[in-house]
Every structure is written in structure tokens, then in C-alpha cells.
């Protein structure tokens, strides 16, 4: 069975602060894929990143960075120098070869960036 | 490059009625999945369609059914609506039913059941 836990339900920061969103996952498969999606108030899920279980290299994309650690089953997401436009709900999701491409989502973290 | 589109954007129904939601996948995609997102929660997988057949199903009752057309577009039907069916319904598309490629989501249909 798959499970994704996002323990932080809501985070509030002031603009230009750095913020880290936590994601812990469970799966019995050795081959799996992790995702982060952003959901602005409009409702559409916007894809941010996809990582497979064999690639533990951390990734940076502009102000966004991701820290994948298999030893702790975590895939955390950091926003550097946050901006008001980063305000949204962020979801971590997981799939593995047994699940095909059925995604299991965490409960989401609502990020509020205040000016 | 057209993304995933869904219609309608909003819908209001009463208990016991039936509803049909529509989705067109991203260009080049042939597999469509539907998710239900209740307020304040993460999306929950309903089912997936590929080659006009249901390939996978989540833990949803038979009141939820679907269809996929030869052009890969899809419909989600919900019969005998309950208040608890009020949610944002998201459609996602990808290539192939077993692919672990990225799924791209549409803007969703917000269903309110009164």
C-alpha cells in the first residue's frame, strides 16, 4: 500500500523568507516516482517536478529546490526568497510500478506568503 | 500545445440527480484518469481509461462510471448524487495506462450537490 504524509497543513511566511514543505512517503516497491504539484486558488494542479527512486540527486530550479532522501523516505521542497505569487496549496504525490500511473496524494500544505 | 480541458467549470445539482463531466486530454496523450478532491483534502483516484476501457479503479461505488471515446476524450458520470459527492473533480492525462510519466491535470469541475 502507498501512503504520502504532509504533516504541515498550513504555513505562513513573510515575503523573501525561505520555506520548506515536508513530504514523507511509504511504498513497498523499490521502483517508484515522486511528484510535487502546486494548486493555486483557481484549482488546477500545476506540475512542478518528478523524481524516480533511483535518482537521489537533489534538484534546483530557480527559487525551487528539492531534497530527496531514501534513507528517511522524504522528498522535501524548499522555496527560497518566497514571493506572494507562491501562495497556494502544494501536494506531494507518489506512484509505483504496481500502481501503474495512479497517483496517491498527501493531504497538501497551504502556503501563505504575506507581503 | 493544448493542455487538458474540462467542462463545465461549475455545476450545481440536487440530491438524487445524475451528472456528466467531460474531459479532453493533452495533445499526444491517450490515457485519462479522474480524481475527486473534497474540500481541504488531497485528490483521490476514481478510475482510469485507456483504449476505451476502464483499466484501474479506486475505492469508489458503482454510482461513479465513465466512458472514453475514440478521440481519447472522456466522461465521468455520477448517478444518484449524494451531498458527499460535492467536490472538485479533476481529470488528468498521460501516455499509456502503465506509464509512470507525468500526469497533467485540467482546471477541474466544481460540483455542488444541494
Amino acid at each position: 500500500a502507498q501512503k504520502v504524509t504532509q504533516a504541515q497543513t498550513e504555513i505562513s511566511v513573510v515575503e523573501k523568507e525561505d520555506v520548506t514543505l515536508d513530504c514523507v512517503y511509504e511504498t513497498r516497491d523499490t521502483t517508484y516516482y515522486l511528484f510535487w504539484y502546486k494548486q493555486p486558488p483557481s484549482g488546477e494542479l500545476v506540475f512542478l517536478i518528478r523524481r524516480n527512486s533511483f535518482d537521489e540527486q537533489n534538484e534546483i530550479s530557480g527559487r525551487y529546490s528539492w531534497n530527496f532522501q531514501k534513507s528517511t523516505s522524504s522528498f522535501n521542497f524548499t522555496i527560497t526568497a518566497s514571493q506572494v505569487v507562491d501562495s497556494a496549496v502544494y501536494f506531494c504525490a507518489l506512484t509505483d510500478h504496481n500502481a501503474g500511473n495512479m497517483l496517491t496524494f498527501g493531504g497538501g500544505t497551504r502556503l501563505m506568503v504575506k507581503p | 500545445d493544448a493542455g487538458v480541458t474540462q467542462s463545465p467549470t461549475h455545476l450545481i445539482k440536487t440530491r438524487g440527480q445524475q451528472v456528466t463531466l467531460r474531459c479532453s486530454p493533452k495533445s499526444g496523450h491517450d490515457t485519462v484518469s479522474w480524481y475527486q478532491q473534497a474540500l481541504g483534502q488531497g485528490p483521490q483516484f476514481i478510475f482510469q481509461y485507456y483504449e476505451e476501457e476502464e483499466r484501474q479503479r479506486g475505492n469508489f461505488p458503482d454510482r461513479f462510471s465513465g466512458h472514453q471515446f475514440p478521440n481519447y476524450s472522456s466522461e465521468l458520470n455520477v448517478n444518484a448524487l449524494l451531498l458527499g459527492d460535492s467536490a472538485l473533480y479533476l481529470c488528468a492525462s498521460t501516455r499509456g495506462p502503465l506509464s509512470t510519466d507525468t500526469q497533467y491535470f485540467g482546471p477541474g469541475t466544481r460540483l455542488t450537490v444541494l
Side-chain angles (χ1 to χ4, degrees):
Chain A
Q2 301 177 327
K3 186 178 180 181
V4 177
T5 302
Q6 295 179 255
Q8 307 149 307
T9 54
E10 198 168 293
I11 300 175
S12 181
V13 299
V14 177
E15 207 169 18
K16 298 184 182 178
E17 286 186 15
D18 299 345
V19 59
T20 296
L21 310 182
D22 297 335
C23 172
V24 174
Y25 61 90
E26 295 178 28
T27 175
R28 294 177 184 170
D29 207 329
T30 56
T31 302
Y32 53 89
Y33 301 82
L34 295 161
F35 302 81
W36 275 95
Y37 286 88
K38 174 182 179 180
Q39 188 174 45
S42 61
E44 181 172 353
L45 283 172
V46 177
F47 166 73
L48 296 178
I49 189 170
R50 171 181 180 267
R51 304 296 287 178
N52 71 59
S53 54
F54 299 110
D55 183 2
E56 288 192 70
Q57 187 173 13
N58 292 328
E59 182 160 336
I60 298 174
S61 176
R63 296 185 296 106
Y64 295 171
S65 62
W66 290 269
N67 183 354
F68 177 27
Q69 292 196 339
K70 288 177 73 171
S71 60
T72 56
S73 297
S74 65
F75 185 42
N76 297 336
F77 172 31
T78 297
I79 302 174
T80 302
S82 60
Q83 300 176 0
V84 173
V85 293
D86 296 327
S87 297
V89 181
Y90 291 86
F91 289 98
C92 180
L94 164 72
T95 191
D96 59 35
H97 276 301
N98 290 325
N101 53 30
M102 180 189 80
L103 290 170
T104 297
F105 284 85
T109 297
R110 179 176 299 277
L111 174 65
M112 294 178 290
V113 182
K114 300 177 181 178
Chain B
D1 181 18
V4 180
T5 60
Q6 292 185 244
S7 63
T9 53
H10 294 86
L11 209 48
I12 299 176
K13 293 285 188 179
T14 56
R15 280 180 297 174
Q17 285 189 312
Q18 178 264 343
V19 68
T20 298
L21 311 182
R22 296 177 177 81
C23 170
S24 291
K26 183 178 169 65
S27 178
H29 289 182
D30 57 10
T31 302
V32 173
S33 297
W34 287 91
Y35 291 79
Q36 180 195 66
Q37 186 181 15
L39 195 62
Q41 298 182 22
Q44 298 288 319
F45 176 78
I46 303 174
F47 44 53
Q48 176 197 82
Y49 275 83
Y50 171 70
E51 291 187 334
E52 302 180 47
E53 290 186 9
E54 183 182 297
R55 300 289 177 155
Q56 291 190 80
R57 189 178 184 92
N59 188 25
F60 279 81
D62 292 344
R63 298 188 297 108
F64 289 78
S65 63
H67 188 76
Q68 186 179 35
F69 299 93
N71 67 352
Y72 308 124
S73 66
S74 175
E75 288 182 349
L76 163 65
N77 301 296
V78 187
N79 294 322
L81 284 168
L82 303 174
L83 295 179
D85 294 332
S86 294
L88 179 67
Y89 289 85
L90 295 162
C91 170
S93 72
T94 190
R95 288 173 296 187
L98 299 178
S99 165
T100 47
D101 284 350
T102 298
Q103 289 191 56
Y104 291 90
F105 285 81
T109 294
R110 189 165 296 281
L111 172 65
T112 302
V113 182
L114 302 176

